[in-house]
Amino acid sequence: MAKDGTMRGGRRAKAGAKPDTLVDKIAKGNIPQIMQPPITDFEGTDLDGDSPEGSEMPKPSEYLSAMQRDGQPLGADIIYEETWKWLRDRGCEKLVSKRTLEAYSQAFARFVQCEQAISKYGLLGKHPTTGNAIASPFVAISQSYQRQADIIWAEIFSIVKENSLTPYEGDPQGDSMEALLGRY
């Protein structure tokens, strides 16, 4: 209690032991409690499709495949699809929002685009007024997009790590880079 009589403080955020992932809990023999919604009996006409199991991939937004100034598509739609399939294989596709996947896909595609510009134009540029050599602006832009993509990927991977019933193996990031670089 503070001098003014108010209750402040408490446990610090992120203090203490981290909770075990679902896979680790099952491996230790602890059966986690799974919240089940109430089961309702449906008539055969109440279902909106032939198969109540499975889910369709949400269609990526148009801006992920928009044509760029050089006439090439951005290619973020490819990253979106590969990442969604990776999430589906682990049973976590419904836990990550469409907007989070789109943000990751766009940031990673822009990072690849900047890396291609660095490869094409080099690490040095020419100052517009003095003509002296300067660092290419694409380097800083690339680092910024890479940082964005890594932060969003850490969020996505954390969701998978904590909720996946299967071991989380494989990395769609490596395959995406190869696919995008192979297109150009």
Side-chain angles (χ1 to χ4, degrees), residues 134-148:
I134 60 169
S136 171
F138 293 116
V139 174
I141 297 169
S142 171
Q143 291 171 344
S144 173
Y145 279 119
Q146 184 180 25
R147 192 174 307 117
Q148 275 181 325

Side-chain angles (χ1 to χ4, degrees), residues 86-139:
W86 186 82
L87 287 169
R88 185 193 59 205
D89 292 345
R90 281 138 191 86
C92 298
E93 75 275 9
K94 292 182 180 177
L95 301 174
V96 178
S97 73
K98 178 183 177 189
R99 295 294 172 216
T100 302
L101 272 179
E102 288 179 347
Y104 167 72
S105 302
Q106 185 180 26
F108 195 80
R110 292 288 183 200
F111 162 69
V112 171
Q113 195 175 36
C114 288
E115 289 299 314
Q116 290 171 340
I118 292 169
S119 297
K120 185 174 183 179
Y121 300 115
L123 292 170
L124 295 177
K126 190 175 178 182
H127 192 275
T129 56
T130 63
N132 293 338
I134 60 169
S136 171
F138 293 116
V139 174

Side-chain angles (χ1 to χ4, degrees), residues 10-19:
R11 184 173 177 258
R12 289 189 326 270
K14 297 188 178 183
K18 304 292 180 251

Side-chain angles (χ1 to χ4, degrees), residues 19-66:
D20 289 337
T21 62
L22 183 57
V23 172
D24 293 337
K25 288 178 185 176
I26 293 172
K28 288 180 183 176
N30 297 340
I31 306 299
Q33 182 180 4
I34 300 173
M35 295 175 46
Q36 294 288 338
I39 297 173
T40 312
D41 290 332
F42 288 108
E43 297 290 323
T45 58
D46 291 345
L47 297 176
D48 288 337
D50 295 334
S51 172
E53 296 294 322
S55 59
E56 292 288 321
M57 180 181 75
K59 188 172 190 233
S61 297
E62 301 249 345
Y63 70 91
L64 295 178
S65 59

